[in-house]
Amino acid sequence: MDEMTVKALAKINIGLDVTGVREDGYHLVRMIMQTIHMYDLVTVTKSAEAGITMKSNAKYLPTNDDNLCVKAAKLLAEEFDLKDGTQIRLSKRIPVAAGMAGGSSDAAAVLYGMNQIHGLGLSKKQLMERGVRADVPYCLLRGTALAEVIGEELTELPPMMRCPVLIAKPPISVSTKYVYEHLDAIENPKHPDIDAMIADITVGDLHALGSHMGNIL
């Protein structure tokens, strides 16, 4: 196999709470994440020419070392001393700066695709351990999961009830850093009940889940 196209699924947060701030400045979170059937298409191709190259239909995205896809590809290429190169083609569909893990899911797709075309033999768990940032391991895991600490501690949950989801993304972008800095300025923010949401998902009660849903950000 010299080429593979992978659907990089978007995710939404069923619930998100921030429970504190570590000494290093990272915020402690508890969030329930769910993949949805919205996706980018990532094609990974083995090349006779060494190195990593990337192209995308989204002209506003970097295709150099600033892109998580390139970072993910270089991580595996260097670790396994790959002699063949890798070409990445990204067809972008997931809105950017929307909290939907588009960049992380693309990077996860690159890790998965490279593992297949280069025959690296890594398990899903081993790929997750090589995630280049917090959401990447989840994007390899997929499904319904509780993420804790700074998002890297994952616990699989029972599958979310099937239901239609409407995504509304206004034509603005706000950095995650900016959001967290201003969250710290809010006195006594209302915290969502993550445990109640987990209980609702466990028994399959969509209406109860709707009444408990919340995102502190």
Side-chain angles (χ1 to χ4, degrees), residues 1-20:
M1 182 188 301
D2 290 334
E3 181 175 289
M4 170 173 271
T5 297
V6 183
K7 289 182 179 179
L9 300 181
K11 66 92 177 170
I12 57 174
N13 294 316
I14 303 299
L16 192 159
D17 193 16
V18 176
T19 59

Side-chain angles (χ1 to χ4, degrees), residues 42 52 54 64 66-75 88 90 102-103 105-111 114 132:
V42 179
I52 311 296
M54 179 177 176
N64 54 19
D66 292 330
N67 192 290
L68 284 177
C69 289
V70 176
K71 290 181 179 180
K74 285 194 170 183
L75 183 147
I88 302 166
L90 169 62
S105 192
D106 296 339
V110 168
L111 291 175
M114 285 189 66
V132 290

Side-chain angles (χ1 to χ4, degrees), residues 93-105:
R93 302 175 178 180
I94 302 171
V96 299
M100 300 183 72
S104 295
S105 192

Side-chain angles (χ1 to χ4, degrees), residues 13 16-18 27 29 31 176 179-180 183 192 214-217:
N13 294 316
L16 192 159
D17 193 16
V18 176
H27 287 72
V29 298
M31 53 187 173
T176 303
V179 172
Y180 276 112
L183 173 66
N215 185 331
I216 199 171
L217 299 184

Side-chain angles (χ1 to χ4, degrees), residues 73-214:
K74 285 194 170 183
L75 183 147
L76 290 183
E78 292 172 2
E79 178 181 354
F80 290 90
D81 192 25
L82 297 179
K83 305 306 180 186
D84 294 317
T86 302
Q87 297 176 348
I88 302 166
R89 297 197 308 275
L90 169 62
S91 178
K92 194 69 181 167
R93 302 175 178 180
I94 302 171
V96 299
M100 300 183 72
S104 295
S105 192
D106 296 339
V110 168
L111 291 175
Y112 181 84
M114 285 189 66
N115 187 46
Q116 298 298 314
I117 67 171
H118 291 291
L120 305 181
L122 297 171
S123 66
K124 180 189 287 189
K125 181 180 179 182
Q126 289 172 321
L127 285 175
M128 289 171 64
E129 291 170 350
R130 288 159 173 80
V132 290
R133 81 174 187 193
D135 280 347
V136 176
Y138 166 72
C139 292
L140 285 159
L141 178 67
R142 296 183 170 184
T144 313
L146 172 68
E148 297 179 282
V149 191
I150 60 172
E152 85 284 15
E153 187 174 302
L154 298 171
T155 303
E156 290 187 79
L157 297 175
M160 170 71 182
M161 301 75 81
R162 291 184 64 86
C163 62
V165 176
L166 174 65
I167 304 296
K169 168 63 170 69
I172 58 173
S173 298
V174 183
S175 75
T176 303
K177 182 175 182 291
Y178 179 93
V179 172
Y180 276 112
E181 286 175 350
H182 286 73
L183 173 66
D184 294 339
I186 300 175
E187 292 186 10
N188 301 316
K190 183 179 179 181
H191 292 270
D193 191 339
I194 299 298
D195 290 327
M197 288 182 237
I198 293 173
D200 297 334
I201 293 172
T202 301
V203 299
D205 192 333
L206 184 60
H207 292 287
L209 178 64
S211 69
H212 289 132
M213 283 173 67

